Structures are given as structure tokens and as C-alpha cells.
Amino acid sequence: MKIGVVGAAGRMGRMLLAAIANADGAVIAGGVEASGHPDMGTDLGALAGLEPIGVVLTSDAQALFDNVDAVIDFTVPVATMAHAVLAKNSGTALVIGTTGLDAAQQNTIETAATFAPIVQAANYSVGVNVLQGLVEQAARALPDAYDIEILEMHHHHKIDAPSGTALALGEAAAMGRDVRLDDVADKVRDGIIGPRKSGDIGFATLRGGDVVGDHTVMFAGPGERIEITHKAASREIFANGAVRAALWSIVRKPGLYSMKDVLGF
Ligand code: NAD
């Protein structure tokens, strides 16, 4: 299967190239970056820290979508919008890892998914997808007296907050309580904010160093506290999951799929 990567010179892009090279049945068929990127023309094997493969980094996303079976996109929201339109026009499978999309951008993806198979996940690790299931179960089992707080920490380069994974964990908790996250999310606390509102789902964000991604969901109840934590030690877990999603997506009908669909949860 021919897999292409957009944002191929980014932190995740390079990991994705290496993961494709190591995956059975997958070949690196192309890599694209924003025009003017300093690595333009560099061999994709070298970008991934491997032997050269004779395919170089370009800025031609259209040609990539026309010539591969699936494209993996871990870039920035505005670029992901352009790639969703290319997937829509070409019918090429698209795996989206980019986080921080707003509601209008999410609509664009949903429209594109009526023409092409699209997998979208805030987190492609198996562990976080299991965690989401556990959080939903715990939220369903515990009464509202157990305050739900979600704490996340990432490296200092990360541009969106709370992380897409923290929000996905919030969605899982809200689903367990049969409420909409938008109605109960408390993302900013500063100054005299008064007592905590019962039923809210709170978020706290830490940024620093080279932390790949830590998430803790707390259920703080009367006299006891449950904490469920996931710590990512390497970006490889996301890259391997995304390549698995790409191989899975190629034979699917158009539609918007999640990592849970890919894993069969
Ligand atoms: P990064 O800044 O290292 O990489 C992003 C790359 O996209 C850069 O190389 C940039 O030049 C490139 N880019 C920007 N505009 C482009 C365009 N128009 N065409 C092609 N490439 C373009 O960031 P990163 O740490 O690799 O993270 C990328 C995204 O992936 C973020 O939104 C992050 O939150 C998300 N992420 C998701 C998961 C997951 O499992 N879903 C895991 C890690 C990171």
C-alpha cells in the first residue's frame, strides 16, 4: 500500500515516515511540506533517520493525493482543511492526527468524509483509546458528587490547549454522564471564581520540556479519589497507530471513522 505523509518534516511527520518504512505491506510513496520549508528536496529516508529511498520532500499535495492509497496528516488546522478538500476531490483515504480544530473546520472534515474514508483521532495510541473506555465506564458508575478533573502536560512547542486527547477524555466522561461536554466543560480558572459547580468537567493544562503527553483523569469524591493516568514515553505509539489506521482505511467506504473503529473496540 502506498502511503504519503503531509507535514513530513515535522516532529510527527518524521516518526510517521519511519513507521511506514517498518510496517508490513506499506511503502513511503511521498512526503509533502508547506512550500518554502528548509528541508524541501531532502530524501524522505534521510528525514526519517533511515537510508535514502530515492523519494524527496515536495510541496505538491495535489500530486500526492492523486498518486497514493492513503495520506497521513499531522500538521496544523489550516493545512488539514486543504488536505480534507484534496481527499474529498480525489477519494483518497486520509488519516488525521492534527488537533485544535474549531467547529467549522470539523464540519469541513465531516463533509469530506462523505466522499472519502477519513480516520480522525485526537490520539492514535492503543493505551489512550482503552483509557477513554475506562473513563466513560467510571463516569457512568460514579455519582455527580465525584468531581471530574482532567490534567494534561505536553512539551513546550505544543500550540493548542487543552490537548485534543484531554478533550476526547472529557467527551468520554461526558458521554458516561449522558451530558454534552460543551455544557459542562470548565477550561479556564483565574481569580475569584467561586465554588466549583457540581457536574462540571474541569481541565488543567501544563506545558514544559519535552513531555510527549501525560493525561490524568481524576474522580474526586467524598472521602476518596480515583486517578487514571496515561503517560506517552515516545511519539512512536502515535505513528504506529496512525499507520495501522492508514492500512485499515484504504479498503473502507467513505465515512468518518475513529481509532476505536480501527482497533475494533
Ligand atoms: P510540528 O510543528 O513538529 O509538525 C507540523 C508540520 O506540519 C510542520 O513540519 C509544518 O511545516 C507542517 N505544515 C504546516 N503547514 C503545512 C502545509 N500547508 N502543508 C504541509 N505541511 C505543513 O508538530 P507535531 O508535534 O508533529 O504535531 C502536529 C499535529 O499533530 C499537532 O496538531 C499535534 O497536536 C498533533 N498530534 C496528534 C497526535 C495524535 O495521536 N492524534 C499525536 C501527536 C501530535
Side-chain angles (χ1 to χ4, degrees):
M1 298 292 186
K2 295 194 289 179
I3 303 184
V5 177
V6 285
R11 276 179 294 270
M12 279 304 302
R14 291 165 192 260
M15 298 294 304
L16 286 160
L17 292 171
I20 297 166
N22 287 329
D24 283 343
V27 290
I28 302 171
V32 162
E33 263 290 347
S35 55
H37 192 281
D39 289 317
M40 207 55 70
T42 305
D43 189 282
L44 299 179
L47 273 184
L50 308 169
E51 292 297 311
I53 59 166
V55 184
V56 299
L57 187 68
T58 77
S59 58
D60 194 347
Q62 172 85 59
L64 186 75
F65 276 81
D66 288 343
N67 290 300
V68 302
D69 299 308
V71 172
I72 307 180
D73 176 341
F74 284 61
T75 57
V76 290
V78 66
T80 299
M81 289 306 96
H83 300 143
V85 172
L86 290 173
K88 179 181 168 196
N89 295 340
S90 61
T92 305
L94 176 62
V95 172
I96 298 174
T98 308
T99 58
L101 304 169
D102 64 26
Q105 290 168 329
Q106 189 58 35
N107 274 340
T108 301
I109 290 173
E110 277 158 31
T111 304
T114 59
F115 297 87
I118 297 183
V119 184
Q120 184 186 22
N123 195 305
Y124 279 92
S125 87
V126 176
V128 161
N129 283 275
V130 170
L131 176 65
Q132 275 176 260
L134 294 174
V135 166
E136 185 181 337
Q137 260 186 305
R140 197 175 297 288
L142 296 166
D144 274 10
Y146 286 70
D147 297 323
I148 302 178
E149 293 284 308
I150 301 174
L151 174 67
E152 59 106 335
M153 179 162 188
H154 281 84
H155 54 87
H156 54 218
H157 297 290
K158 187 161 179 64
I159 58 171
D160 53 316
S163 71
T165 301
L167 292 170
L169 291 166
E171 294 282 2
M175 198 173 294
R177 281 194 166 165
D178 292 322
V179 294
R180 288 182 60 244
L181 181 61
D182 283 350
D183 295 337
V184 296
D186 188 0
K187 295 179 189 159
V188 184
R189 292 169 177 150
D190 186 23
I192 311 292
I193 56 164
R196 190 184 194 283
K197 207 168 129 214
S198 174
D200 271 2
I201 296 177
F203 291 85
T205 298
L206 306 180
R207 291 285 175 266
D210 57 2
V211 177
V212 175
D214 292 355
H215 293 88
T216 295
V217 181
M218 296 181 195
F219 297 86
E224 62 179 354
R225 189 162 80 237
I226 301 172
E227 298 186 3
I228 316 177
T229 295
H230 177 274
K231 294 188 177 182
S234 156
R235 288 188 175 81
E236 258 177 64
I237 55 171
F238 311 128
N240 291 338
V243 173
R244 183 167 166 178
L247 291 170
W248 179 92
S249 67
I250 289 165
V251 294
R252 304 293 143 182
K253 293 197 182 83
L256 186 56
Y257 301 98
S258 71
M259 193 56 184
K260 287 202 187 76
D261 297 319
V262 175
L263 296 170
F265 286 172

